[in-house]
Every structure is written in C-alpha cells, then in structure tokens.
Amino acid sequence: MCIGQVGNLLPHVTLSANLAQHLMPAWGLSAAEGGLMASGYAFGYMLAVPVLTTLTDRIDARLVLLWGSIVSGIATAAFGIFAQGFWSATAIWSVAGLGFAGAYMPGLKALTDRLPAGDTSVTLYTSSFSVGVGLSFLVAQVIADRWGWRSAFLVTGFGPIAMVVACLLMQERRPAPKAGRLLNFAPVFANREALGYIFGYGAHCFELYGIRTWLVGFWTFVIAHQGAPSWLSPVVLSFCFAVISMPASILGNEAALKFGRHRAITVVMIASACVAIIIGLNATAPAWVLAPLLLIYGLTVPADSGALTAGMSAAAVSEHRGATLALHSTVGFGLSAVGAWGTGAALDVAGGPQSASGWLLVFIVLAAGIALGPLALQWSRMAQPEKPLS
C-alpha cells in the first residue's frame, strides 16, 4: 500500500513544480491565477471526497481506490496532451484532484479495514505521502527541464499504475451492511473531539499546500537575487523539503504519543508559524542562510500531520469512520485550495514573484493559517474540561 501510494503521488505536485518556471511564463499568468490553477487539484478533491470516502462505509474501499487511481493517472497524462491555458489546465487538473479523492483517504480506509485497531502501519502510510511528494517534485522538474513540461505530466501520469496493481493483489473486504443516508455527517459534527483534529488538519493543509505551491518559485527568486551553489537547485531543495517530511511526521506522532497529542501538535504549529515569519523577514538573505531555514520549515510543516490523522481516526466512531475520514479530507483539501490561491494573491498584492515584500506577505499568510490550528484544538477541549491534555 505504501509503494502504491508513492506511485499515486507521482502526479501530485507536477503542476506546482513547474508553475513558476514553465507554466506561468508560457501562458502569461499572474501569481493569483497560477495559485488558483494549482488549487484546482484540491478543489476537485474537496468536491469528490465526501461521496467517495463515505461510500467506503458501504462498499469495499479497494474498489474506490482502484478507480480513483485510474482517473488520477489518466487526467494527469491528459494535462500534458490537452492543456492550452488557464481554463483548460484548471479544469483538467481539477479532474486529476477528483481522481486522487478516490485514492488517498479511501486508501487509508482500505488499509485500516485490514489492520487491527491501533496498528502503527497507519502512520507509515500517512508518512509515505512525503516520499511520493518528494519524488513528484524530483521527477516533474528533471523531466520538464530536459524534455518540456508536457513530458513531465505524461510520465508522472503512469505513477498510479503502482496502486492499481496493489488493489488487484488485495483481498476483498466488504463492510457490514449499513442503512441511512450516504452523506450523513451529523454524527461527525456531534463528535467534537474528532472535529478539533479535523479543523487542525485544515490549518495544516492550508500551510502545507501553500508552501508546496510556491516553494520552487521562492527558491528561483533566491537564486536570481542572491545566488546559490549550482548543486543547490530548486530540484534538489524541493526534493529534500518533501522527503524530510516523512521522518518529521513519524517523530511528530511519537512525540504526540509521549507528551499528548494536543500538546505536541500545538507546539509544532506555533514553531512552524515562527519559522515561516523568520523566512519571510529574511527573504533577501544569502542562500546559505535561507536553505537551512527552509529545511527546518520542511520539518515543522509536516510534523503535525500523522498526529492529526491518528487523533482523528482514534476519535472517530467505528460505524462512522468513513464519514469522519470524508469530512477530514474535505476540510483539509478545501483549505489547501484556499492556501494555494491565497498565497498567490498575497504575492501579487505585495509586488509579485520578483519582490521580497511579496514573499514576506506569503510567509505571513502561511504563519497566520497554521496559527489557527491550536485554536481549533483548544475549542475541541472546551466540551471536555475534565480530560487530561492529550
């Protein structure tokens, strides 16, 4: 499943990896338009995930995972063939996001349905997300720089085949028959503990998708204005930024188990907001200063991910786990779309991709977004004052 997920994630940031250097210049897009185009993926995901993930409470999640992976791969390849500008690119990329909606959380459901409660493989699955994103950054940029951005979409579109194979090898597991409406989120909204993790995940996704959308663009700005060693290219930096997310997520979850989930997540989120502000204030600093700061940010941004998802899964009522996962993903990727567009709009407002003040505002927006996470967790505890901090 982890190998399959890495394949499913190969298309994930192909657009973001090539946005600043290839797509925006080719189509004459502003940063806000580029961010909105990138957010199409998250928007398509947000629209589809409530139905597709809740459906896993009624049919084998393996089937949803299989078809979602197929749609994701075909749409990514179609982008490389048919995308001609802002509107067509946004539409096709939204379909790719719709396919991924059938791949990520249904994949988590397919895994948890086949594991005993509390199995730590769930954390490994969520952490392998980072490996897939890192490879997506690497493959998309290397191929685009050598053979053009259309080739990058065509090649990464073959990645989901790995999950298709995993699905075909997986044993069938049908959920117990369930009555009632398909999209019944009332029990989830009544679960305040789970909602705290869900809203915290939304803040995490806002920050994560925002920085992933503009990381290559920011480092391109740094190289153009301050210079950097030839080996420290946007390809290398973005790959390292994504890959270190895996150990960060695992260590973050271990810290949550040792010190309590709420406490550990709150500390990580506050630290991440502080690092973002420091990077923004030092946008014109030398590359040798900014590179370590970005790698530290690459640790703080994902360190809360595994703990948030594990906390949500633990707080979910078993018969409504699919609906809880659906809302978790809907909120997360809905705010991912806002993060990609909002940071792009901030970049335009403050001077554009070639302006230090523009990048300062981008990182301020990212810091403000993640700072809402601890408030969500505190809100979820207001109904349970007698429980220890966890």
Side-chain angles (χ1 to χ4, degrees):
M1 285 292 290
C2 291
I3 292 171
Q5 175 167 238
V6 169
N8 257 347
L9 284 161
L10 204 59
H12 195 66
V13 292
T14 303
L15 189 147
S16 298
N18 291 295
L19 182 61
Q21 291 181 306
H22 296 284
L23 299 177
M24 287 172 61
W27 294 332
L29 303 178
S30 67
E33 288 173 325
L36 189 60
M37 187 169 66
S39 73
Y41 192 90
F43 185 70
Y45 185 105
M46 179 189 70
L47 291 180
V49 76
V51 174
L52 296 180
T53 306
T54 309
L55 192 62
T56 63
D57 282 333
R58 298 169 184 260
I59 67 172
D60 191 347
R62 178 179 65 96
L63 298 177
V64 180
L65 175 61
L66 173 65
W67 287 105
S69 302
I70 291 172
V71 171
S72 174
I74 290 175
T76 302
F79 191 105
I81 299 171
F82 299 112
Q84 297 295 335
F86 173 78
W87 291 108
S88 60
T90 303
I92 297 172
W93 202 231
S94 297
V95 175
L98 185 151
F100 190 65
Y104 180 53
M105 280 299 174
L108 181 61
K109 180 65 160 50
L111 185 64
T112 55
D113 283 347
R114 290 162 174 80
L115 292 174
D119 194 296
T120 55
S121 298
V122 173
T123 301
L124 183 61
Y125 177 82
T126 56
S127 300
S128 65
F129 196 104
S130 307
V131 177
V133 173
L135 287 175
S136 181
F137 268 122
L138 178 65
V139 173
Q141 290 178 82
V142 168
I143 292 178
D145 289 343
R146 177 163 297 193
W147 292 294
W149 63 264
R150 292 190 184 275
S151 297
F153 282 92
L154 287 170
V155 171
T156 56
F158 284 97
I161 291 175
M163 185 59 91
V164 171
V165 173
C167 289
L168 296 176
L169 295 175
M170 201 182 302
Q171 290 184 342
E172 184 179 2
R173 181 66 60 87
R174 293 184 181 181
K178 184 178 178 181
R181 292 184 293 114
L182 177 63
L183 295 177
N184 181 18
F185 293 113
V188 184
F189 282 109
N191 186 345
R192 194 158 178 165
E193 182 182 3
L195 281 180
Y197 291 113
I198 289 170
F199 293 146
Y201 182 69
H204 158 79
C205 288
F206 177 94
E207 179 188 38
L208 179 65
Y209 210 76
I211 186 59
R212 280 181 177 165
T213 298
W214 296 107
L215 177 63
V216 172
F218 176 65
W219 197 247
T220 301
F221 163 82
V222 172
I223 292 175
H225 290 79
Q226 285 85 258
S230 58
W231 57 268
L232 196 54
S233 64
V235 176
V236 172
L237 187 80
S238 58
F239 175 76
C240 292
F241 185 95
V243 168
I244 61 175
S245 297
M246 184 174 186
S249 182
I250 294 174
L251 291 173
N253 192 58
E254 290 300 314
L257 294 175
K258 184 174 183 179
F259 302 109
R261 282 199 181 99
H262 279 210
R263 181 182 289 114
I265 293 169
T266 297
V267 169
V268 166
M269 287 180 165
I270 292 173
S272 197
C274 292
V275 175
I277 294 294
I278 292 171
I279 293 173
L281 291 172
N282 291 277
T284 57
W288 64 267
V289 172
L290 284 168
L293 284 173
L294 281 169
L295 292 180
I296 293 172
Y297 198 41
L299 292 172
T300 61
V301 169
D304 52 4
S305 176
L308 286 164
T309 301
M312 174 277 302
S313 183
V317 180
S318 59
E319 59 265 30
H320 301 297
R321 182 170 289 139
T324 306
L325 287 170
L327 187 62
H328 186 74
S329 254
T330 301
V331 170
F333 277 78
L335 287 175
S336 291
V338 176
W341 171 79
T343 47
L347 193 56
D348 279 341
V349 166
Q354 301 305 316
S355 166
S357 60
W359 291 111
L360 170 60
L361 187 56
V362 165
F363 284 100
I364 289 175
V365 169
L366 293 174
I370 194 59
L372 296 176
L375 298 179
L377 294 178
Q378 180 61 34
W379 168 83
S380 73
R381 291 184 54 78
M382 290 170 62
Q384 305 148 350
E386 75 283 355
K387 294 183 68 175
L389 192 62
S390 61

